[in-house]
């Protein structure tokens, strides 16, 4: 599922629509470091211009079998954008 960005909805409101996907990124990559680079690019280009609302980026990743430390990071700039547009980031781990 790699990265699905969608508008958050209030599940307590029965008439509210289901979440609508705003972006689908990294369809072929399940490595977190690669996904975070692409996610930051998307945030800088498109994400920072989302209308006022509440959003979720669900990052589906698979642990790297050859990992020995390190990994992906989010820059301060990306985190500031996430706060500005009110976007939560979920990390969903999947085994391959």
């Amino acid at each position: 599922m790699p990265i699905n960005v969608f508008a958050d909805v209030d599940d307590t409101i029965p008439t509210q629509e289901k979440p609508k996907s705003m972006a689908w990124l990294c369809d072929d990559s399940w490595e977190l470091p690669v996904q975070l680079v692409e996610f930051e690019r998307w945030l800088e280009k498109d994400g920072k211009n989302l209308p006022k609302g509440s959003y979720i980026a669900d990052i589906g990743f698979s642990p790297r079998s050859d990992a020995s430390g390190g990994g992906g990071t989010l820059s301060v700039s990306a985190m500031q954008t996430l706060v500005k547009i009110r976007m939560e980031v979920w990390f969903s781990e999947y085994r391959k």
Side-chain angles (χ1 to χ4, degrees):
M1 101 167 215
I3 302 175
N4 183 17
V5 179
F6 54 94
D8 194 8
V9 296
D10 185 344
D11 290 339
T12 64
I13 303 172
T15 59
Q16 196 167 22
E17 295 179 21
K18 293 292 179 200
K20 177 185 173 190
S21 183
M22 312 290 285
W24 185 269
L25 309 169
C26 300
D27 199 33
D28 295 327
S29 178
W30 287 76
E31 291 189 6
L32 188 58
V34 172
Q35 292 173 314
L36 291 177
V37 168
E38 189 61 32
F39 181 56
E40 283 203 32
R41 283 188 193 136
W42 177 83
L43 274 174
E44 181 60 31
K45 183 180 176 219
D46 299 315
K48 68 181 182 182
N49 298 316
L50 289 172
K52 186 176 180 175
S54 182
Y55 303 95
I56 295 169
D58 188 0
I59 301 176
F61 71 99
S62 182
R64 296 174 294 152
S65 60
D66 62 342
S68 60
T73 60
L74 280 173
S75 68
V76 171
S77 175
M79 289 187 276
Q80 289 171 331
T81 300
L82 291 170
V83 170
K84 179 182 168 202
I85 63 174
R86 297 189 57 221
M87 182 177 288
E88 291 183 10
V89 178
W90 296 353
F91 295 94
S92 299
E93 186 174 10
Y94 295 90
R95 296 257 175 231
K96 276 191 163 182

